[in-house]
Structures are given as C-alpha cells and as structure tokens.
Amino acid sequence: MKPFPFTAIVGSDDMGLALTLTAVSPAIGGVLVRGEKGTAKSTMVRALADVLPTQQVMAGCRFGCEPAQPDPTCPDTDQHTENILHRPSRLVELPVGATEDRVIGSLDLEKALGAGEAAFEPGLLAEANRGILYVDEVNLLHDHLVDLLLDAAAMGRNTVERDGVSVSHAARIVLVGTMNPEEGELRPQLLDRFGLTVEVAAPREPGMRTEVVRRRLAYEADPDAFASRYGSTQENLARRIAEARTRLAEVVLTDWSLAAIARVCAGFDVDGMRADIVTARTAMAHAAWQGRDHVVRADVRAAARLTLPHRRRRNPFDAPGLDEELLDRLLDDDPEPPDPDQPDGPDDPAPNTPEGEPAEDQSSPGSEHESSEPDSGPAPEQPQTNEPTNTADDGPDSDVTPLPVGVAEVGEAYRTRTFTAEGVGRGAAGRRSRAITSRGRRVGVTTSNAGPVHVPATVRAAAPHQAARGREGRLLLRRHDLRRAVTEGRESNLVLFCVDASGSMAARRRMASVKTAVLSLLLDAYQRRDKVGLISFRGADSELLLPPTSSVDAAARRLTDLAHGGRTPLAEGLLQAGEVLRLEKLRDPDRRALLVIISDGRATHGTDAVGRAEMAAAHLRSEGIDSIMVDCETGRFRMGLARRLATALGARLCPLDDLADGGSTIDPTRLADTVRAHRAA
C-alpha cells in the first residue's frame, strides 16, 4: 500500500516548509515538530521519503558510503566494489523502546558464538547514514538513547567500544522528531541539536477540516488510486527539491543578510553561535528553494521563524514561540539594499495540485491538517495578583466566618535540595533515584535474558566445561553459558504534590512562598524527567488538580491559578493522595513514588480533625509510601504540628526555609526523639 502523498496533506505551512528546507540542505540539522495529538505529524514525516532525491551508494557497503567520497575508515572498506547502486533516500524510524545495541550496533552473537569471530552488527545509526532518522514521541526517549543521538549528531560518527568490538563509522543523520508537549518536554541538549522547530495544531476553520476528512476517507477507500491523483505533484516537488539542492551551492550570503542574521540572533538573546550558523544555512536553503541566487530579507525572516523559537533564552515553564513583531523591528533596523534584479510580488508558488483539488501553500509543498496561521506558541498565562483579604495570624481557621478565597502570586523558582526514593528500584531510566536500569555501571551479572551480554562472565561460565564438550581450538558455548550484565543507574519517579491551600496558609503572605517552593520542586522534577501530579486541599475537601503526567508545564499552569482560603481538610488530602498513588501503582508497578506534602500541619475541618489526619498518615506509612514533609509554619512561636505529622508518616521533614539547595532535612528517627522531648517540656 502506498503511503499518503506529501502534497495531499492539508494545512501546516510551517511544517511543510521546515521539512522541505531540511531536504534541500541536510546540513541544517533536522526538524522537531511539536503539536497536539491527532494532527498527522507522523503521516507527514513518513510521506517525505517519497519526494527525496535518490542516492548513489557503494555496492557491498552496509553503511551507505558515497562513491564520490567514501569513508576511509568504513568497516566495510574491504567489501567496496566499483559498482554503484542507486537507492531511494532512507527514512529510518527509531522506536522509543529501542535498545542501545539496536541503535549503535553490537557484537554479532551468531558469529561470536558460532565461529568465535568478533564481528560487528550495524545498528540503526548505520542504516540511517546519509538519510533521515525519525523518532516519534522523541520526548519519551530514554536518556541513554538521547546521549547516543547527541554524540552522533555532534560528531557525525558512531563509535562503539564494547564487548570486544572497536568500530567507528560515519553517521551523518538528519534527525526528525515529533512530540506532544502534554506528555513532557525534551532535554535542552537534544532540543538544541534540532536545526528547526515548528508548532502544529488542528485547524479551526470548518472548510479545511472538511477537506482533511474527505481526503483521508478517499485514501483509505483506495490508497493506490488516491496516490495516483497526486503523482504529478509528487514528481514536481521531488524535481524542485533536487533543483534547489543543486542551486544551493550558488546561493550568496550577502554582507547585509549576514549582519541581519547576527542582529536578529543577538536581539532574541540566544545562547552560543549555533543559532547564527543554522539560521544562515536555513536562509540559504530558503533562497535556493525560491529560485534566488542570493539571500534576501524574506529568506532571513522565514529562517528565523524556524530556527529561533527553541533557542531563545526562556524559563522551562515559559511558552515556546517567537515575537514576530520584534523580529520585524530587528530586520527593519537596517533596511535591505534594493535589488534591481528581484521582481516584486510573492515568492514562487509550490507545485500545483491536481485539477479540482484545493491549492496548497504558496511557500511550501503542502502540509498537514493544521492551522495555516503562523503559530508563535500560546501566550504565557499571567498569574492573578489579587491578594487575599484575610490577614489573620497563624491561628486555627475559623468555623464561624469562612475565610475569603484568594490567588497568590508565584515568585522566581530556585534550585532545591535533591530528594530521592529510598532503596534501589527498577523503574524507567531517569535522573533521580538509584535503580537497576539498562545503562549504568555494572554491579553484577545474571542468567536472565534481559540486559547486554557480559562477555568475560560468559567465558568464565563456559571455561570449566570445555574438556567435557570436546573442545578443539575454538571456545564451545551453550545457551545456558550466557551471562547478562546488571547495571545500576538512575530512574525517574512519580512526584505527587499535596498542597495545603487553606486559610492558615494565607497568613503573612505565606502562600506566595509555598507556590514558589512548589514551582521550584516542579523545575527539579522537569530536569529529572519525573512524572508529576498535584493535589490541593482546602475548605471541606481535596481536589486532584492534575492527574499524574509527564507534562510538568501543565502542573505549573495549575499551580499559577491555585486558589486558597477556608478550613484545612488535612485528612481528606492525605487520603486522596494515597488513592492516587494506589491507582498509579497498578498502572506502572515499577515506577516508585515520592509524596511531597506542603503544609503547616494544621487540621481544622470536621470532627476530630487532628485524629483523622494522624490515622490517614499512619495508613500511608503502612502502605510503604515514601514521603517528604515540607513544614510551612513560620513565626517566632511554632506549634510543631508538621513535625508531629511527619512522625506519623515516617516522612523526612524539611522546613520551607531550608528547601533551597544547601538546606538540611531531618531524619524520622531523630524527629521522633525531638517530638517526645517537646511534649515532655
């Protein structure tokens, strides 16, 4: 079955343009596509392969060496022949759950165990050399695979030194990734390696949505007939990309355009010089795509809209995007010299669609069913600044006069102490707690089928049996001789925040400090690739504001609008936290949880509020839930209720003032002694 044609995809001008420019100039470095689910991001990337120019490769080379410039260090140099093969440009998909051996290559076990030969079996990086490596849901990729991609993207080579194999081969890849930001963000190091980034969203215009559905249904009814309708436009697009590649070497980057690029990058306060270089390459590719022999203002503007949104300096929770008004002002600071050879009017349009079909974008070959308006990203939400009218001291909440509800501001996040789960887990690779993972330092060996082969341990296991097996020269191995390495690294955790938003937390503007502390802990969770959840309790009940998710941005948005006021239903908050963690344990048994309770320890709602809160805390402790108690009590005279609650929870206690990196935590055993001494006094 033929894939959905690239030129038949409706909308998403930016995505179509970004992919096309990368096809014209692979040196740009790839494309990252961010967007909501159901916007056919993967459909468009996979459709790109059909319009890429063909390649010449050396016959007999597993690494796709170019005949004009073969890699002198290619492991298959002895296999090269004078024959030249023509093949389509490759688009290789890297699954999120791929193993390290499958990505970089590994020891060929069949030859190693059968013939005693240490041979190399190429991986996906070798297969994608001189082509496109596509990662769907790239933000969910394990960190150890991200490290491998960073090395390959930076060096253009893949080097393997493991299990008796020492191999280095070319890995000039164009990295294309798609992701849904709601499922978590991308590591900054990998984000910077993408040359271009675009935001996509489903169209809101009924006519465009209708056309999307019509084309999709027509394709599913008869894929071959539907693809044939776009045969001529596909050929025109492929020819135009090939012509632009040829023209690219002749494009001149004028002094004015180079100065404009430097002015724009400096104006957006980007880090390093990679942004300037990638913007220059993209502007030249855009000029070649439009049939020009030199870079003009339109090329610089189009390039900056694609290269700078993910490189401008911003906080982790700031919305992505680019201020296009600022971009125009920076470009207009030094007007472009007139070009008498450049005709007025719009850029050269893309290839025409088949008769009767809607026209495609004027600057890109066509895109997906997304908005045709340039998307500079959602505007960041502004926190409300109305202060609560209650200014009572730290006394218990009143049951007679309910406290008014307010929304406190959020301050600037700071670096917090590192909290980890106790013991050693087996969760998904991350950057928080100790765990047995697929990559890390070797701490032992096992006979299971999981993990990389530990060659020395395998040889030692087989050595005592060689005489009985009739060894003659080479080592004789059996399946039960295989030993796998057990490696210890770091895992990601589920961090569930249970925030006291009652009236007592509003005293002395304490809620602003609490929100800033939670935001700082969210920033730490973002950097450590954790899942997060958010529970708030105030008034008469608790509320799950955000179910556990990998989108730390979503948690930050919920925190900004978190209201406070009313009584303190502490027991209800703890019980809901226990229920959320119980359900998450059923969904993902290997992911360990950290419950972070932010409260002053008061319980004022309902009959025997303190007793019910302590019972709820004892229940959480009996379930083995690892918890942190952040004590928010302030003032000269303190009741020590948070300490008492931490003892019931078996939690580590951290005063709010000591949450910043460099503070101290209190061990539960010392805490119990402190509470007993306090009661005796």
Side-chain angles (χ1 to χ4, degrees):
M1 183 176 70
K2 293 186 177 180
F4 198 92
F6 189 81
T7 54
I9 300 175
V10 179
S12 186
D13 304 338
D14 285 348
M15 183 177 177
L17 180 61
L19 291 174
T20 303
L21 296 181
T22 302
V24 171
S25 176
I28 288 174
V31 182
L32 174 65
V33 184
R34 297 163 45 96
E36 58 195 22
K37 55 184 177 295
T39 48
K41 302 181 292 293
S42 301
T43 300
M44 192 169 195
V45 174
R46 295 186 178 108
L48 179 66
D50 277 354
V51 295
L52 295 177
T54 58
Q55 293 180 338
Q56 290 184 344
V57 297
M58 300 284 295
C61 181
R62 296 173 296 170
F63 303 88
C65 283
E66 185 177 1
Q69 295 179 329
D71 180 11
T73 62
C74 176
D76 283 356
T77 300
D78 296 340
Q79 306 297 325
H80 289 179
T81 67
E82 296 182 356
N83 297 329
I84 297 177
L85 302 178
H86 290 78
R87 72 177 188 189
S89 295
R90 289 188 172 179
L91 189 147
V92 178
E93 293 196 36
L94 192 160
V96 171
T99 63
E100 181 178 347
D101 292 348
R102 184 69 185 97
V103 176
I104 64 174
S106 63
L107 179 70
D108 189 328
L109 287 181
E110 182 177 353
K111 292 184 178 179
L113 301 182
E117 177 183 353
F120 177 67
E121 183 177 1
L124 295 177
L125 289 177
E127 189 177 346
N129 183 33
R130 299 177 59 207
I132 294 176
L133 184 65
Y134 171 48
V135 187
D136 192 15
E137 306 293 352
V138 64
N139 52 323
L140 303 182
L141 200 64
H142 288 180
D143 277 358
H144 70 284
L145 297 182
V146 171
D147 294 338
L148 299 177
L149 294 184
L150 286 173
D151 289 341
M155 306 302 298
R157 299 194 66 80
N158 175 40
T159 301
V160 182
E161 299 283 353
R162 58 184 300 174
D163 296 334
V165 173
S166 179
V167 171
S168 179
H169 65 82
R172 300 193 304 274
I173 58 174
V174 175
L175 190 60
V176 176
T178 55
M179 59 174 282
N180 181 355
E182 295 180 354
E183 297 172 347
E185 288 295 336
L186 199 61
R187 276 178 57 182
Q189 295 92 335
L190 183 58
L191 180 64
D192 189 53
R193 285 297 172 182
F194 286 98
L196 313 178
T197 183
V198 291
E199 296 278 337
V200 297
R204 299 296 181 256
E205 198 239 328
M208 185 175 292
R209 296 176 74 98
T210 301
E211 186 61 29
V212 169
V213 176
R214 179 182 293 115
R215 295 192 185 189
R216 187 66 199 183
L217 294 179
Y219 172 75
E220 292 176 354
D222 192 342
D224 294 338
F226 182 83
S228 65
R229 292 168 54 190
Y230 290 86
S232 60
T233 56
Q234 291 280 99
E235 293 175 1
N236 290 339
L237 178 58
R239 183 177 65 253
R240 188 178 172 191
I241 290 175
E243 292 173 352
R245 276 192 176 184
T246 303
R247 190 183 302 115
L248 181 62
E250 304 171 358
V251 174
V252 177
L253 188 65
T254 64
D255 291 341
W256 177 89
S257 57
L258 189 57
I261 290 172
R263 189 167 60 253
V264 167
C265 293
F268 279 100
D269 198 22
V270 298
D271 293 324
M273 295 299 299
R274 184 174 289 119
D276 303 62
I277 297 172
V278 175
T279 303
R281 289 172 176 167
T282 307
M284 296 173 67
H286 191 269
W289 169 249
Q290 298 297 344
R292 289 187 280 267
D293 59 2
H294 66 283
V295 174
V296 299
R297 182 186 189 278
D299 301 320
V300 176
R301 189 182 192 280
R305 289 185 61 250
L306 299 174
T307 61
L308 299 186
H310 61 303
R311 290 190 169 91
R312 67 177 180 84
R313 186 172 297 176
R314 64 186 182 96
N315 293 325
F317 304 127
D318 289 346
L322 200 68
D323 185 346
E324 297 197 27
E325 292 184 2
L326 174 59
L327 174 60
D328 290 332
R329 289 199 302 271
L330 292 170
L331 289 174
D332 292 339
D333 284 347
D334 181 14
E336 180 183 8
D339 181 7
D341 298 329
Q342 181 69 22
D344 296 333
D347 290 336
D348 182 32
N352 294 327
T353 54
E355 185 176 354
E357 296 292 344
E360 298 292 343
D361 173 40
Q362 295 299 307
S363 63
S364 65
S367 296
E368 202 167 341
H369 44 89
E370 286 127 12
S371 171
S372 60
E373 295 294 328
D375 183 10
S376 61
E381 298 183 15
Q382 298 296 327
Q384 303 181 36
T385 59
N386 51 303
E387 289 295 326
T389 59
N390 177 65
T391 56
D393 203 347
D394 291 354
D397 305 313
S398 174
D399 289 336
V400 179
T401 305
L403 292 170
V405 175
V407 178
E409 296 180 355
V410 181
E412 184 177 352
Y414 50 82
R415 184 182 297 277
T416 65
R417 293 186 57 82
T418 301
F419 297 108
T420 61
E422 297 180 348
V424 180
R426 290 185 174 271
R431 312 178 85 181
R432 182 174 293 277
S433 305
R434 293 175 55 201
I436 300 300
T437 58
S438 57
R439 184 182 181 187
R441 63 185 184 92
R442 287 175 177 170
V443 296
V445 295
T446 179
T447 57
S448 69
N449 293 326
V453 174
H454 194 294
V455 175
T458 299
V459 173
R460 285 195 298 268
H465 309 290
Q466 296 305 298
R469 295 173 183 174
R471 173 182 175 180
E472 296 179 359
R474 62 186 179 89
L475 184 69
L476 298 179
L477 298 177
R478 300 291 183 264
R479 180 176 296 275
H480 59 267
D481 294 330
L482 282 180
R483 296 294 185 271
R484 306 276 181 171
V486 177
T487 54
E488 181 181 301
R490 294 282 172 177
E491 67 175 358
S492 63
N493 297 118
L494 165 61
V495 183
L496 180 62
F497 295 96
C498 191
V499 181
D500 184 350
S502 63
S504 67
M505 299 295 289
R508 299 179 181 174
R509 300 173 62 90
R510 195 190 307 161
M511 198 62 198
S513 299
V514 169
K515 281 190 173 184
T516 303
V518 178
L519 183 68
S520 303
L521 289 168
L522 283 172
L523 176 60
D524 181 68
Y526 163 81
Q527 294 169 339
R528 298 181 188 281
R529 319 304 295 166
D530 293 320
K531 291 181 69 175
V532 295
L534 181 61
I535 291 175
S536 167
F537 56 93
R538 68 180 183 87
D541 205 353
S542 64
E543 181 182 3
L544 179 61
L545 298 179
L546 183 71
T549 176
S550 296
S551 178
V552 181
D553 283 346
R557 290 193 296 270
R558 300 293 194 281
L559 178 67
T560 300
D561 297 330
L562 177 62
H564 60 262
R567 293 182 292 272
T568 310
L570 179 57
E572 286 74 7
L574 296 178
L575 290 175
Q576 179 156 20
E579 179 63 14
V580 170
L581 295 178
R582 184 185 69 83
L583 294 176
E584 285 301 309
K585 189 68 174 179
L586 295 176
R587 295 189 182 101
D588 190 353
D590 290 334
R591 186 182 293 272
R592 294 190 292 167
L594 271 176
L595 174 61
V596 181
I597 304 165
I598 300 99
S599 175
D600 55 11
R602 287 178 173 83
T604 61
H605 169 70
T607 305
D608 191 20
V610 176
R612 290 190 300 108
E614 291 186 350
M615 289 179 60
H619 171 71
L620 293 178
R621 183 172 188 172
S622 67
E623 294 293 324
I625 294 176
D626 199 351
S627 54
I628 309 292
M629 181 73 212
V630 179
D631 183 3
C632 300
E633 192 174 25
T634 58
R636 181 178 300 177
F637 301 102
R638 306 188 184 188
M639 302 175 65
L641 297 177
R643 291 174 172 267
R644 181 175 174 179
L645 182 63
T647 303
L649 284 165
R652 287 163 278 176
L653 179 68
C654 178
L656 182 63
D657 295 339
D658 293 339
L659 187 61
D661 192 13
S664 61
T665 58
I666 300 177
D667 186 84
T669 55
R670 293 195 296 113
L671 175 61
D673 296 337
T674 303
V675 172
R676 283 193 293 269
H678 176 75
R679 288 177 177 175

